[in-house]
């Protein structure tokens, strides 16, 4: 095992959706460290376990002392930790306790560690298992801003970050909002839930209960039935005539209602299906046709449409 | 549902959407409407918006940040020589300006 490898050239930040508990995920995170512990600066941000429990897992997994180590306990401040709260990070500080409403202090604290470690020759690894409780205590907007800045910083210093979130506790849309911030998203609970279909085509665009997802499913099932290119205006009329849920009221030839569906298909829904590899359009975006890949998800659409 | 105002110098269109009218589709249509008004073309003469930005994701972000502490967010992006600014402080203001 060599320990003279320098820090990673560029940072990678991963979001891992998992329902597993802390002992399992923290052990997994530590097991992925291939070099000797001394090669790394490790920052643990957690709200789930007490500092004692975390230190015991770290001790057990690593066996020897990491190059640098920091632990930020994110909590409501009332939990008994048996350890002194520190107000700032100095070279000997291992534990900092931050109240979970105080997201700016959390950001500052993480940065103090990162600033201190940035110029040493250790590889920085960050474990962040506090997204679930932060989502419950601060607004999504605050969390989004916080993550945006933090992830930028992690990438900038070439560190590796792993962020864990239990998808069971949150709406799919909440998770969707933060997902684009990350380089990698692992463990998509939704895709597993519909039978672990191959991710080669974007079945994500077909799942869900929203009016838009229903509209996309209907459009695709219509195209699969037709098996020929369809004009977008004809497709719009068909959607309106069928009075699918996205429309709400029966169509009486009203121009505004037509425009709403037509432009929604033109600007949003059809491009989404194109990006997902399920339909193709002509150059003017006026003719729409399903792709061969669409046939592979036909059963999925039917299953979804059969639901009450 | 939405009011659209063109500035006197003709290089800005401002469109105002009530928060009660917001959903993940209306925000995209409102943006397309404001851009096409500025460029004086039909909305289907523009390139589909989704290839530049996921307006459903913007809609979801605004919906989620709406219910919080009352403070708004501002989202800025460019689309085909236009700068689009969405400000959600009290109502949803979409401003499109020629760059």
């Amino acid at each position: 095992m060599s320990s003279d490898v320098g820090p990673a050239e560029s940072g990678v930040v991963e979001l891992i959706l998992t329902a597993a508990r802390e002992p399992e995920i923290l052990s997994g995170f530590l097991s992925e460290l291939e070099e000797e512990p001394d090669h790394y600066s490790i920052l643990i941000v957690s709200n789930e376990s007490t500092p004692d429990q975390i230190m015991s897992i770290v001790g057990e997994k690593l066996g020897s002392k990491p190059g640098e180590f920091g632990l930020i306990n994110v909590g409501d401040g009332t939990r008994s930790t048996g350890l002194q709260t520190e107000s700032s990070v100095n070279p000997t500080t291992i534990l900092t306790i931050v109240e979970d409403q105080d997201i700016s202090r959390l950001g500052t604290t993480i940065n103090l560690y990162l600033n201190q470690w940035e110029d040493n020759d250790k590889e920085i690894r960050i474990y962040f298992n506090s997204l679930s409780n932060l989502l419950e205590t601060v607004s999504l907007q605050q969390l989004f801003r916080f993550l945006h800045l933090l992830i930028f910083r992690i990438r900038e210093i070439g560190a590796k970050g792993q962020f864990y979130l239990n998808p069971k506790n949150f709406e799919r849309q909440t998770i969707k909002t933060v997902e684009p911030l990350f380089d990698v998203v692992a463990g998509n609970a939704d895709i597993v839930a519909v039978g672990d279909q191959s991710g080669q085509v974007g079945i994500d665009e077909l799942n869900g209960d929203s009016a838009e997802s229903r509209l996309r499913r209907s459009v695709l099932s219509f195209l699969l039935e037709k098996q020929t290119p369809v004009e977008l205006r004809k497709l719009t009329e068909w959607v309106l005539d069928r009075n699918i849920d996205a429309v709400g009221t029966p169509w009486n030839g009203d121009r505004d209602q037509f425009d709403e569906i037509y432009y929604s298909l033109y600007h949003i829904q059809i491009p989404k299906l194109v990006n997902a590899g399920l339909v193709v359009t002509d150059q003017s975006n006026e003719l729409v046709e399903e792709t061969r890949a669409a046939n592979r998800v036909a059963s999925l659409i039917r299953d979804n449409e059969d639901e009450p | 549902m939405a009011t659209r105002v063109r500035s006197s110098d003709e290089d800005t269109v401002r469109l105002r959407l009530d928060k009660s009218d917001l959903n993940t589709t209306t925000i995209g249509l409102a943006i397309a409407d404001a851009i096409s008004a500025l460029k004086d073309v039909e909305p289907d003469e523009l390139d589909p918006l989704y290839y530049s930005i996921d307006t459903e994701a913007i809609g979801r972000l605004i919906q989620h940040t709406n219910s919080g502490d009352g403070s708004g967010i501002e989202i800025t992006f460019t689309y085909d020589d236009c700068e689009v600014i969405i400000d959600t402080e009290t109502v949803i203001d979409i401003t499109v300006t020629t760059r």
Side-chain angles (χ1 to χ4, degrees):
Chain A
M1 216 183 283
S2 149
S3 59
D4 58 4
V5 182
E9 296 258 311
S10 63
V12 176
V13 188
E14 203 174 338
L15 174 67
I16 297 155
L17 302 172
T18 173
R21 305 301 308 229
E22 184 133 66
E24 193 185 323
I25 56 179
L26 180 56
S27 299
F29 168 82
L30 295 167
S31 303
E32 280 181 23
L33 305 176
E34 291 174 345
E35 307 287 338
E36 294 295 336
D38 183 45
H39 178 79
Y40 299 100
S41 297
I42 300 173
L43 179 62
I44 308 244
V45 182
S46 167
N47 78 293
E48 196 177 315
S49 315
T50 65
D52 309 354
Q53 290 166 332
I54 288 176
M55 294 313 286
S56 127
I57 297 169
V58 171
E60 189 186 307
K61 276 282 159 193
L62 294 186
S64 62
K65 207 173 155 295
E68 300 279 358
F69 184 80
L71 169 57
I72 300 174
N73 183 250
V74 187
D76 58 13
T78 58
R79 250 192 328 232
S80 169
T81 59
L83 291 160
Q84 188 78 42
T85 305
E86 297 282 344
S87 60
S88 66
V89 178
N90 61 55
T92 56
T93 304
I94 289 180
L95 171 69
T96 310
I97 297 166
V98 179
E99 294 195 14
D100 50 11
Q101 303 93 329
D102 197 353
I103 199 163
S104 62
R105 173 128 188 277
L106 177 59
T108 311
T109 308
I110 294 172
N111 263 315
L112 285 168
Y113 280 108
L114 299 183
N115 294 347
Q116 199 177 298
W117 295 346
E118 185 178 4
D119 296 325
N120 71 21
D121 58 352
K122 312 285 180 197
E123 194 176 323
I124 301 175
R125 294 294 179 98
I126 298 152
Y127 167 96
F128 194 107
N129 185 26
S130 188
L131 281 178
S132 301
N133 75 306
L134 287 176
L135 269 169
E136 281 161 5
T137 48
V138 302
S139 71
L140 183 63
Q141 175 195 353
Q142 284 175 299
L143 186 68
F144 188 90
R145 279 184 187 156
F146 166 84
L147 287 174
H148 184 77
L149 292 170
L150 175 58
I151 290 169
F152 178 83
R153 180 82 182 119
I154 293 174
R155 284 200 192 106
E156 186 184 49
I157 60 172
K160 260 192 188 168
Q162 294 195 339
F163 289 65
Y164 299 86
L165 180 64
N166 187 342
K168 280 189 183 166
N169 303 339
F170 302 98
E171 286 175 28
R172 181 77 190 124
Q173 292 188 348
T174 305
I175 301 171
K176 276 271 184 196
T177 306
V178 296
E179 268 181 6
L181 292 167
F182 295 87
D183 300 312
V184 180
V185 179
N188 187 332
D190 270 10
I191 287 182
V192 175
V194 294
D196 203 13
Q197 296 274 337
S198 149
Q200 286 170 348
V201 288
I203 59 170
D204 233 25
E205 305 297 358
L206 298 173
N207 285 322
D209 289 332
S210 67
E212 292 90 350
S213 317
R214 284 197 291 271
L215 180 55
R216 288 193 289 269
R217 285 200 291 272
S218 295
V219 164
L220 195 59
S221 65
F222 178 72
L223 293 172
L224 281 166
E225 204 179 293
K226 286 277 170 196
Q227 298 281 330
T228 58
V230 178
E231 281 177 26
L232 195 53
R233 292 192 173 273
K234 288 262 181 285
L235 191 56
T236 307
E237 280 170 16
W238 175 81
V239 167
L240 286 160
D241 285 340
R242 260 199 61 186
N243 183 25
I244 64 166
D245 288 339
V247 188
T249 47
W251 187 44
N252 56 8
D254 180 70
R255 178 70 201 267
D256 287 347
Q257 226 175 354
F258 180 91
D259 282 354
E260 188 177 328
I261 298 296
Y262 175 74
Y263 290 128
S264 165
L265 291 175
Y266 178 88
H267 277 291
I268 307 161
Q269 312 312 337
I270 298 296
K272 278 202 165 187
L273 292 171
V274 170
N275 262 16
L278 296 170
V279 306
V280 287
T281 61
D282 67 340
Q283 222 171 9
S284 65
N285 301 296
E286 285 296 327
L287 274 180
V288 189
E289 187 176 12
E290 89 289 356
T291 64
R292 274 166 60 191
N295 289 286
R296 297 216 302 272
V297 297
S299 62
L300 174 69
I301 302 165
R302 275 195 296 278
D303 289 350
N304 263 305
E305 291 295 281
D306 289 346
E307 282 169 17
Chain B
M1 83 180 186
T3 39
R4 196 170 69 205
V5 184
R6 178 184 275 269
S7 70
S8 50
D9 55 7
E10 303 255 314
D11 64 1
T12 298
V13 166
R14 185 165 288 122
L15 189 143
R16 179 162 285 191
L17 190 66
D18 279 340
K19 284 191 174 175
S20 57
D21 287 327
L22 174 79
N23 63 46
T24 46
T25 298
T26 51
I27 186 76
L29 298 181
I31 294 167
D33 186 48
I35 296 172
S36 61
L38 181 72
K39 290 178 169 285
D40 203 17
V41 296
E42 292 297 320
D44 59 355
E45 292 174 59
L46 302 169
D47 278 339
L49 268 182
Y50 181 75
Y51 296 134
S52 297
I53 188 149
D54 184 350
T55 52
E56 283 184 9
I58 289 185
R60 283 196 295 271
L61 184 64
I62 297 173
Q63 280 175 332
H64 276 287
T65 50
N66 247 344
S67 48
D69 47 13
S71 67
I73 52 168
E74 189 177 287
I75 300 163
T76 306
F77 63 94
T78 55
Y79 168 95
D80 191 19
D81 290 340
C82 297
E83 184 177 51
V84 181
I85 300 172
I86 305 165
D87 188 342
T88 70
E89 193 157 349
T90 49
V91 290
I92 296 158
D93 265 326
I94 301 168
T95 309
V96 187
T97 311
T98 311
R99 291 169 83 205

